[in-house]
Amino acid sequence: MRVIDGKTALITIYQTGPYNLSAYGIGPEKGWVIDGVFQEVDIETGKVLFEWKSLDHVPLSASLTPLRLDGVVGDGRTNGSAWDYFHINSVDKNHEGDYLVSARHTSCIYKISGKNGSIIWQLGGTQSSLQLRGYNFSYQHDARFQEENETTTILSFFDNASNKHKNTSSTSSGKIISIDHNTNTSTLTRQYHAPGSGLLSIFQGNTQILPNKNVLIGWGIHPSISEHTEDGTTIFFATLESPDSQNYRAFKANWTAKPSDPPALRTYSASTNSATTFWVSWNGATDFDHWRIHATSPASDQFMPMDAVHSQGFQTTYTSSSYHPRAFAEAIAANGSSMANSSVVDTSSALPG
């Protein structure tokens, strides 16, 4: 699912149904095919605003995954083993109202008219209307519009380069493609590999272009993620420990939160003649900049503000050379505004466990 402008959702659908496969050696009225479908749905009402079906526009002959290739592709003989000839795996929409569809089993990316569902152009596969200059791709995922005008289209996608049975490269990669509509040609402008000898992901994966032009790659069946600068330099790479994990897609985004719970404060002093240590945290908070400790003294019950202490991460530690019987902590935003206070706590002579 992909949300568009917070109002509609694009949903991919695998719709199994009977189909005449007599040309493929299966008797009439005995064949089954999976139709690659997508819908755009109004989020508030659930109304289907647009629907597209691959069988109305893409012939079975475009498939690069023949019947009985494996259990995923199917043998076309039953509802449960229908031929997945198309395998839609992403859909996107541009500002003009047209759609971008990625089909793994045709190794093709399609631009679909939002007016009548016709194919405006297709990139890759056996029936490409655009020439690929100096590069190739296959069994791809996550095709996305990046930029577009009358003469040029910029796309990003994850090139799996393999379906386990056939490879077009020894490694998978994130790719950014430029299409010149004057010449009907496409060229590779950027390519992003996993560090070292790379990874070959036969399933899944995605390529996300971040606001600062960095690129985040989810490596699919390999439970790894990487981030790269625009020029391809790897600045982050991590892998989940479990070898059985898979990573269909990975995303990076700003995340902000103000917890419903107040900040937590614990204070300690060995005696009334000793220094006081303050530990303060606010689990989940992201927008505060520093802490202000307010504390009493042996001579006064009035809370007085102490030094500002910049956040040190999850927990911030501050030590005063004086004894303070009671205290509370105030979270301060970068603009100086107060965000929240902890409860007032009594200073303990027992160290926290």
Side-chain angles (χ1 to χ4, degrees), residues 19-32 67-68 75-77:
Y19 201 83
N20 185 352
L21 294 179
S22 56
Y24 297 87
I26 297 176
E29 301 181 0
K30 292 185 178 181
W32 292 82
L67 279 165
R68 298 175 290 277
D75 61 13
R77 294 185 178 275

Side-chain angles (χ1 to χ4, degrees), residues 227-246:
E227 184 176 348
H228 311 260
T229 58
E230 186 177 11
D231 67 3
T233 302
T234 303
I235 58 174
F236 178 84
F237 183 78
T239 302
L240 295 177
E241 183 176 12
S242 170
D244 297 324
S245 298
Q246 295 182 13

